Structures are given as structure tokens and as C-alpha cells.
Amino acid sequence: MFEDKISQRLVPLPAYIFPLVELIYYFGLKLCLCFHNPLVDTICLHYVTPIRGFYEQNILVIFGILVLIFTTCSKGTIPLPKFIRFNIIQAILINIVISCVGQLYLLCPYQIRENYLLINLVLNPGTIGAIIIIFYACILVLLGRYPKIPIISEAARLQTQRGYSDS
């Protein structure tokens, strides 16, 4: 089914939508609003806000889908090539890291969360860095190479090796 290289490169790409949406949900509005640019504000209003609203309304369904995909790929119950399973697991692990950071951010007191210095020195560079990591992984997947992200790639490799049908 996934014998050709093109399908092996395209199948894992949709999995990287999950961490991107998670990033938009937690930090998208903060990033958009700090530019003070009418074009960015319009993009935020028309694109970021609806994605955030959809995620917020369907958060448990999306979580269930992620758990199902993760267990399927890590156990190897569906005979997928190792490259596909690795990249899907890596995308889900990136999603988990973003979710943990987002929850920690929400647990911070309001004065810390809305501190202008914290937002500009930590939050915005961290958000842009996470976006760069996601696009880096997508580009390498399209090139047919394994993305190497410290800690996350090793965890994805261990989960992939744990599977039953390594191919």
C-alpha cells in the first residue's frame, strides 16, 4: 500500500497539523496581537480565531484521536512503514510537549501571563521556535529524511522500535 516513496512522504504530514493547532490554541493570539499590524490582526481574526474555537469545542475528540493514532503507530497494529510511524509519533510527541507548556502557562498567575516582558522575551520566541521545528520536520519528511529533534526524536525512535511490525 505504501510501497512508493511519495506516499510514504505525504502520509505523515497531516500529523504535524496537531501540534500546529495546539500551538495556535495556546499561544496564537498572543503572538498575533503583539505585532500591532492591521494585516496581522485581520489574519488573526479570520484564521487563528476560528481554528482556536474549533479546537476548543472539540478538544476531547481531538485528544481521543491522538491517543488512538499514537497507540496504533507505537504498537504497529496497522502495517505501516517505520518512516511513517516514526514521523506520526514524533508529531504527537511535539503536540504533547506544546500541550504541557501551554498548561503550565495557563497555571501561571495572571500578572505573570500578561507581563509584556515575559511575552516578548519568552513566549513569542518560544512560539516561533516551535513553529520552526514543525516546519523543519515537515520539510525533512518531504525530502524523505528523519527529522532529528533532541529528546523527541529519540522517544519517537524508541516507540517505533517497540512496535510489532517493523518494516
Side-chain angles (χ1 to χ4, degrees):
M1 181 177 180
F2 297 107
E3 306 306 323
D4 62 335
K5 297 290 182 188
I6 294 173
S7 65
Q8 283 190 18
R9 294 176 185 183
L10 294 178
V11 168
L13 285 180
Y16 286 99
I17 291 173
F18 290 114
L20 197 58
V21 169
E22 191 87 19
L23 202 60
I24 288 171
Y25 175 70
Y26 284 112
F27 307 114
L29 291 177
K30 292 278 184 206
L31 184 65
C32 288
L33 295 177
C34 83
F35 286 111
H36 305 296
N37 184 335
L39 178 64
V40 174
D41 291 344
T42 305
I43 290 171
C44 181
L45 182 65
H46 291 295
Y47 297 107
V48 173
T49 306
I51 291 171
R52 194 172 188 275
F54 174 79
Y55 182 82
E56 194 169 27
Q57 291 173 350
N58 300 304
I59 197 164
L60 293 176
V61 174
I62 293 171
F63 176 74
I65 291 170
L66 282 174
V67 169
L68 180 69
I69 291 171
F70 185 81
T71 55
T72 302
C73 288
S74 67
K75 288 185 177 181
T77 53
I78 296 176
L80 294 172
K82 196 175 203 174
F83 182 76
I84 293 174
R85 289 186 10 232
F86 173 85
N87 283 296
I88 290 172
I89 290 172
Q90 182 164 272
I92 292 172
L93 291 174
I94 292 170
N95 185 40
I96 291 169
V97 169
I98 291 170
S99 180
C100 289
V101 171
Q103 287 297 318
L104 288 174
Y105 173 73
L106 293 177
L107 288 174
C108 289
Y110 180 78
Q111 292 81 10
I112 294 174
R113 275 193 321 222
E114 298 303 319
N115 186 338
Y116 184 74
L117 188 63
L118 175 73
I119 289 171
N120 284 330
L121 291 179
V122 178
L123 195 65
N124 290 343
T127 304
I128 292 171
I131 291 170
I132 290 170
I133 288 171
I134 293 167
F135 283 116
Y136 158 78
C138 289
I139 290 169
L140 284 183
V141 167
L142 284 173
L143 295 174
R145 297 176 51 203
Y146 286 89
K148 291 184 174 81
I149 302 167
I151 300 169
I152 294 174
S153 293
E154 183 64 22
R157 185 185 66 78
L158 291 173
Q159 286 294 321
T160 305
Q161 285 180 346
R162 189 179 78 120
Y164 303 125
S165 63
D166 288 339
S167 44

